[in-house]
Amino acid sequence: MKITVIGQSLFGQEVYKELRKEGHQIVGVFTIPDKDGKADPLATEAEKDGVPVFKFPRWRLKGKVIPELNVLPFCSQFIPMEVIDLPKHGSIIYHPSILPRHRGASAINWTLIHGDKKAGFTVFWADDGLDTGPILLQKKCEVLPDDTVNTLYNRFLFPEGVKGTVEAVQLIAKGIAPKIIQPEEGATYEGIQKKENAQVNWDQPAEAIHNWIRGNDKVPGAWSVVDGQKITFYGSSLVENGSSPDSQQLQIPGASRPGLVTKNGLVLYGNDGKTLLVKNLQFEDGKMIAASQYFKSGDDLTVDLTEEETKLAEEIRSIWKGILSNVDGIEDSTDFFKSGAASMDVVRLVEEVKIKTNGLELQNEDVYMATTFKDFVQMLVLKLRGDDSKEELHVDYVEMQVNNMTIRMPHQLFINGHFLDAEGQKSYETINPTDGKPICKVSLAQIPNVDKAVAAAKEAFENGQWGKMNARDRGRLLYKLADLMEEHQEELATIESIDSGAVYTLALKTHVGMSIQTFRYFAGWCDKIQGHTIPINQARPNRNLTFTKKEPIGLVYHPFNYFYINTGKVPKNPNLKPCSCQHFRKKKVSAPLKIPPPFPFPQNSLLQLQKMGMSSVFFNKGENCIAAGRLFVEEPIHDIFVKKVVEEVKKMKIGDPLDRSTDHGPQNHKAHLEKLIQYCQTGCQEGATLVCGGKQLPRPGFFFEPTVFTNVEDHMFIAKEESFGPVMIISKFNDIEGVLKRANDTEFGLASGVFTQDISKAMYVSEKLQAGTVFINTYNKTDVASPFGGFKQSGFGKDLGEISLPVAITLPS
């Protein structure tokens, strides 16, 4: 079929290309004159192919070739009827609404302004009315709550519109294209949206205000007068409660309540008391800022460029020059948009920067918020450095010279991205368990601080950037976190040693080292979390199905024993540090509490049994969630096993955790030490045999002797309650069924172990033990790729491994 394409822009270019791919002959392209020396995308593509291109400021018949069909994809000019009717098949036009609704040039805007639940496009036969011709084809889509003109256009109206226009041509070529007369019922016409009529009316509900702002985003832009100047609003979303702990009021003339400038943006109120959040603001001079920076918009942050960054800046200058070909030279003050750039130039700039920087993905908003060349380069350099925030983080550190290094420790509360003192300047001394001396004063969270922390965490989950960014970028940030931890691994391990008494080498390898592995492991999973499509019995006759969508579980409270355990959840300090536990009671908890004991059997070598038995109890001074609360030893080897263990316990070096040869450091804090002393006294009073240990060492600090109890009966306190310390509780057994019953007679079940060379016995016992993890002939061997979690009162759910990824929500079709 012979076709002329009338229009301009990238949409017209894509329709033109697809029509040629389908074998149609494009006999001419009619478009607009070049702007600032640049042809529009449709004209550029046609000229490259040698297709005749006609650029007229207004229409008249021209040329000799008579086409069979005119195709008008997004044509902004008035086309005379003699041109419309000239081809054999007339003309078809693409229109971005579900006709007859929203006739007119601002159809996408009004679809959003009216809060329509459905959007779409129509390809219709042109007539002498305004978008009133017979319908040839229509396609529809859902309107998402935060759709803007751009998102709706880019997600559906553009890609599906190109396909739909080409499909309409194919129907005409086959002689089966319908002509459906438009009904008058439901027909609407709204005028062209221009800047002068896009002012916000604040006397309406929040949803209506949100629809008005997003319906005018990016063109022409909804505005209001604030502080005596015209401010345009972009990036609106509805929020349940947009307020935050740290906010500043902004008077909005005509609004029912003042706006709130928060860390996440500008909160605005409707006359119904509900709220919306605006992300970006634009001033009359064209400068755009993040709404969160409104009261800081006068601040100027300039960074000095390195030699390599200066070279990159000149390469970016060349990109600007290529786009702004009409500009003689690109100066620091050159404004991208005032120099003639349009929305398509923004896309080109973003893509060229991505290629030049080996993958840095800018957003279109980044260009709008840094319109001058100098500001653009500064923004780009900060992003490449990984520090594109203008807000400086103020940290009050405590510095110490320890372990042949200078360590710097924050000591305030960290709430909503800021370090701050507790309410009423409340604080307490955190003690070095090695010598019993204070390390520093730490802020002690009060109820108002906890309320602010919970509110900030809830706001971050519901409206923060983490949940909105794409999964691959989340993975990239987790990798970056792991890299930073690795860079400061020795410093973190040193702080862990002096603060909790962990042996330095253990803290280096496990507490910090395995934390780094955990972040890297899950960083790799970020863009691989997928749901499933599941056939169901009721599939016919409507072909129903069920699909699962994995979603974040939300905020959790997670008590933990040492640094590594914390990496599976949300960062929180240990219980004697500032924490926000009371207000997290109604969030889901995965809380490991206590474990059944491991089972040595006589077939194993005593050396292995002795080593593994000691490791299961004394690892990290017994301050370990999977530490063996009780050991059952078969009677024939009981006495020799105890003898060997005591011999090795007496060889253990107890001392400074920063000494690389130390085996056993101090307990975490004084109250825990006193609890262990009482625990052992209770064991002796009940008749258990204290073989060794049971006392505090006569030296400064919170050192407790590694302890061994034998002849422990099932009814005793030390058999039922864990010490969470270096206390080995040993009981005898003779038959497997009996000891399994005794081991499982507990409300807890995090981990357990079995030691035997009889594989059938090992498998049988592991199946019968009611514990989340069963170690066989080893202990404490965890890995980030393996699921971790308990049974009964030792918590529910799993940390680590693929199984710990977000929960699946089942949605019927």
Side-chain angles (χ1 to χ4, degrees):
M1 182 179 289
K2 293 179 181 178
I3 295 172
T4 60
V5 178
I6 305 173
Q8 69 273 347
S9 80
L10 184 62
F11 187 92
Q13 179 193 57
E14 290 302 306
V15 169
Y16 163 88
K17 288 161 61 176
E18 292 301 314
L19 288 174
R20 280 174 57 88
K21 285 182 183 177
E22 294 293 332
H24 298 289
Q25 181 185 357
I26 310 298
V27 296
V29 164
F30 292 81
T31 183
I32 58 175
D34 293 353
K35 183 179 179 181
D36 297 322
K38 294 189 297 181
D40 72 88
L42 173 58
T44 301
E45 191 72 23
E47 288 170 345
K48 182 180 70 176
D49 295 334
V51 172
V53 177
F54 305 93
K55 304 175 182 180
F56 301 125
R58 56 182 177 268
W59 270 86
R60 62 188 184 278
L61 290 176
K62 191 84 172 181
K64 297 178 180 179
V65 176
I66 299 178
E68 297 172 348
L69 177 70
N70 287 331
V71 176
L72 284 75
F74 264 137
C75 181
S76 64
Q77 294 179 315
F78 172 74
I79 311 299
M81 284 309 298
E82 58 266 32
V83 175
I84 293 290
D85 293 335
L86 180 63
K88 179 172 63 175
H89 295 292
S91 301
I92 60 170
I93 302 177
Y94 168 91
H95 185 75
S97 81
I98 308 171
L99 291 175
R101 189 162 174 78
H102 305 311
R103 294 167 175 168
S106 297
I108 310 177
N109 304 73
W110 290 105
T111 296
L112 296 172
I113 290 170
H114 282 285
D116 292 358
K117 301 304 180 184
K118 295 279 187 179
F121 63 86
T122 304
V123 179
F124 69 97
W125 299 91
D127 66 1
D128 57 356
L130 184 62
D131 305 328
T132 57
I135 294 170
L136 192 164
L137 175 149
Q138 283 186 331
K139 302 282 186 181
K140 300 178 183 180
C141 73
E142 299 286 337
V143 177
L144 302 181
D146 294 334
D147 263 330
T148 64
V149 173
N150 276 1
T151 62
L152 185 57
Y153 180 68
N154 293 331
R155 188 182 81 249
F156 184 82
L157 298 177
F158 182 103
E160 296 303 319
V162 170
K163 295 177 185 176
T165 304
V166 174
E167 180 183 344
V169 173
Q170 297 292 73
L171 292 174
I172 295 171
K174 294 176 182 178
I176 57 174
K179 289 188 176 182
I180 304 169
I181 302 301
Q182 288 194 37
E184 285 305 313
E185 183 181 355
T188 63
Y189 169 79
E190 298 89 2
I192 297 175
Q193 275 304 90
K194 297 180 179 179
K195 196 70 175 181
E196 56 264 28
N197 60 17
Q199 185 173 4
V200 179
N201 172 18
W202 298 106
D203 189 20
Q204 52 185 336
E207 184 173 1
I209 297 173
H210 163 66
N211 287 336
W212 183 261
I213 293 175
R214 68 180 181 137
N216 287 281
D217 184 345
K218 294 285 189 204
V219 177
W223 59 274
S224 186
V225 176
V226 181
D227 285 341
Q229 60 179 324
K230 187 181 289 185
I231 300 291
T232 305
F233 306 98
Y234 297 106
S236 174
S237 60
L238 288 171
V239 292
E240 288 187 11
N241 179 13
S243 61
S244 69
D246 303 311
S247 60
Q248 292 178 270
Q249 286 194 355
L250 178 62
Q251 294 299 326
I252 309 288
S256 58
R257 292 173 58 178
L260 296 176
V261 177
T262 72
K263 183 179 179 181
N264 295 315
L266 173 61
V267 177
L268 299 170
Y269 290 85
N271 61 10
D272 57 354
K274 296 183 178 179
T275 56
L276 59 143
L277 184 74
V278 170
K279 286 293 186 181
N280 300 316
L281 304 174
Q282 189 174 41
F283 298 100
E284 289 182 86
D285 62 1
K287 181 180 180 182
M288 186 178 283
I289 64 166
S292 61
Q293 299 294 311
Y294 180 83
F295 290 110
K296 303 174 185 177
S297 59
D299 298 347
D300 184 27
L301 176 65
T302 302
V303 297
D304 295 326
L305 306 187
T306 65
E307 183 178 346
E308 185 177 346
E309 289 166 346
T310 301
K311 181 181 177 182
L312 174 63
E314 292 309 308
E315 294 172 343
I316 299 300
R317 194 185 303 272
S318 297
I319 293 175
W320 275 50
K321 179 59 180 174
I323 297 173
L324 306 174
S325 57
N326 57 305
V327 178
D328 291 335
I330 305 298
E331 307 295 336
D332 283 353
S333 59
T334 300
D335 188 284
F336 192 68
F337 296 102
K338 291 179 181 179
S339 299
S343 58
M344 273 309 305
D345 298 311
V346 174
V347 176
R348 176 179 167 184
L349 178 59
V350 168
E351 288 302 309
E352 291 202 36
V353 167
K354 181 179 179 180
I355 294 170
K356 184 63 65 178
T357 57
N358 295 319
L360 178 65
E361 294 189 8
L362 297 180
Q363 303 299 317
N364 290 0
E365 285 75 13
D366 293 325
V367 183
Y368 288 107
M369 295 176 71
T371 60
T372 67
F373 180 74
K374 179 183 177 181
D375 289 345
F376 184 82
V377 169
Q378 290 278 312
M379 175 272 296
L380 186 63
V381 167
L382 287 172
K383 283 186 176 294
L384 288 169
R385 291 182 181 182
D387 181 24
D388 56 340
S389 172
K390 292 187 177 181
E391 187 173 359
E392 183 179 356
L393 182 65
H394 297 282
V395 187
D396 186 14
Y397 292 104
V398 172
E399 288 194 0
M400 295 181 65
Q401 294 291 330
V402 61
N403 200 21
N404 299 317
M405 68 179 74
T406 300
I407 60 173
R408 306 173 72 208
M409 297 178 291
H411 61 91
Q412 297 169 293
L413 305 178
F414 188 69
I415 299 175
N416 200 28
H418 300 281
F419 284 99
L420 45 86
D421 292 327
E423 188 85 5
Q425 305 293 310
K426 296 287 187 180
S427 65
Y428 70 95
E429 289 184 329
T430 181
I431 305 298
N432 185 338
T434 301
D435 56 17
K437 296 180 181 179
I439 300 174
C440 64
K441 285 192 173 182
V442 176
S443 295
L444 180 62
Q446 305 298 299
I447 290 177
N449 301 124
V450 175
D451 289 341
K452 283 186 177 181
V454 174
K458 183 176 184 291
E459 170 67 16
F461 174 68
E462 294 176 351
N463 300 306
Q465 292 303 307
W466 182 257
K468 296 178 181 177
M469 70 175 63
N470 67 67
R472 200 156 296 171
D473 282 346
R474 285 198 291 270
R476 179 175 56 82
L477 290 176
L478 287 177
Y479 277 123
K480 184 176 180 180
L481 174 60
D483 291 342
L484 286 170
M485 289 181 64
E486 190 168 56
E487 182 181 340
H488 297 277
Q489 189 167 356
E490 290 80 8
E491 183 181 6
L492 289 169
T494 300
I495 294 173
E496 184 78 351
S497 292
I498 65 171
D499 195 34
S500 71
V503 173
Y504 175 73
T505 51
L506 177 64
L508 197 65
K509 175 182 180 292
T510 302
H511 296 204
V512 182
M514 288 190 70
S515 299
I516 295 169
Q517 290 182 36
T518 300
F519 284 122
R520 285 189 176 140
Y521 175 82
F522 285 103
W525 269 111
C526 282
D527 59 356
K528 302 173 185 68
I529 302 173
Q530 303 163 352
H532 298 87
T533 302
I534 305 168
I536 58 177
N537 286 345
Q538 294 79 20
R540 295 179 181 275
N542 297 320
R543 301 181 183 276
N544 293 334
L545 54 83
T546 295
F547 69 92
T548 61
K549 178 185 177 184
K550 295 197 172 184
E551 297 179 342
I553 196 170
L555 195 64
V556 298
Y557 161 68
H558 181 49
F560 71 97
N561 317 131
Y562 53 85
F563 193 89
Y564 163 58
I565 298 298
N566 185 45
T567 58
K569 295 290 195 309
V570 177
K572 180 195 84 69
N573 286 332
N575 291 339
L576 291 185
K577 309 295 183 182
C579 64
S580 306
C581 61
Q582 293 301 322
H583 283 256
F584 284 87
R585 287 180 177 174
K586 295 184 180 180
K587 292 179 167 60
K588 186 175 177 180
V589 177
S590 174
L593 299 174
K594 193 176 179 182
I595 59 171
F599 292 78
F601 285 94
Q603 290 92 335
N604 274 78
S605 70
L606 283 176
L607 179 61
Q608 183 189 18
L609 286 175
Q610 166 253 308
K611 284 186 176 181
M612 289 298 172
M614 292 182 65
S615 172
S616 69
V617 175
F618 300 132
F619 177 85
N620 197 50
K621 312 160 293 175
E623 294 170 358
N624 178 22
C625 60
I626 58 172
R630 189 178 179 191
L631 274 69
F632 289 91
V633 181
E634 202 162 13
E635 188 167 9
I637 63 165
H638 175 274
D639 293 347
I640 187 72
F641 174 79
V642 172
K643 178 182 177 182
K644 290 289 183 182
V645 166
V646 172
E647 289 175 356
E648 292 303 314
V649 164
K650 291 180 179 179
K651 296 177 185 177
M652 293 173 67
K653 181 176 179 180
I654 304 172
D656 185 351
L658 294 176
D659 185 335
R660 299 336 188 238
S661 63
T662 293
D663 298 308
H664 191 83
Q667 304 308 134
N668 190 276
H669 56 278
K670 186 178 180 182
H672 184 42
L673 173 70
E674 292 171 346
K675 173 193 169 186
L676 290 175
I677 293 171
Q678 180 61 46
Y679 183 89
C680 292
Q681 289 174 351
T682 300
C684 294
Q685 291 168 2
E686 289 187 326
T689 302
L690 179 63
V691 180
C692 65
K695 303 187 298 297
Q696 179 181 3
L697 274 78
R699 63 165 73 174
F702 310 137
F703 291 91
F704 188 78
E705 295 177 331
T707 300
V708 179
F709 273 102
T710 60
N711 297 319
V712 178
E713 299 179 10
D714 295 350
H715 65 83
M716 294 180 177
F717 175 83
I718 61 174
K720 293 180 175 294
E721 298 295 328
E722 65 174 341
S723 66
F724 202 68
V727 182
M728 182 179 287
I729 306 298
I730 302 177
S731 299
K732 295 178 184 178
F733 80 94
N734 287 303
D735 69 292
I736 293 177
E737 297 300 331
V739 78
L740 281 170
K741 184 177 180 180
R742 295 167 65 191
N744 289 329
D745 185 21
T746 172
E747 59 182 316
F748 306 109
L750 181 58
S752 63
V754 55
F755 297 87
T756 177
Q757 293 177 342
D758 185 335
I759 188 63
S760 61
K761 185 181 293 184
M763 295 305 297
Y764 177 78
V765 172
S766 66
E767 288 179 5
K768 297 296 183 180
L769 283 172
Q770 297 169 1
T773 298
V774 179
F775 297 103
I776 298 178
N777 291 336
T778 188
Y779 208 83
N780 281 325
K781 293 295 183 182
T782 58
D783 187 86
V784 299
S786 298
F788 180 85
F791 291 172
K792 298 185 280 191
Q793 291 301 309
S794 288
F796 49 88
K798 291 290 183 285
D799 295 340
L800 308 178
E802 180 181 1
I803 197 172
S804 68
L805 295 173
V807 296
I809 308 299
T810 303
L811 304 170
S813 63

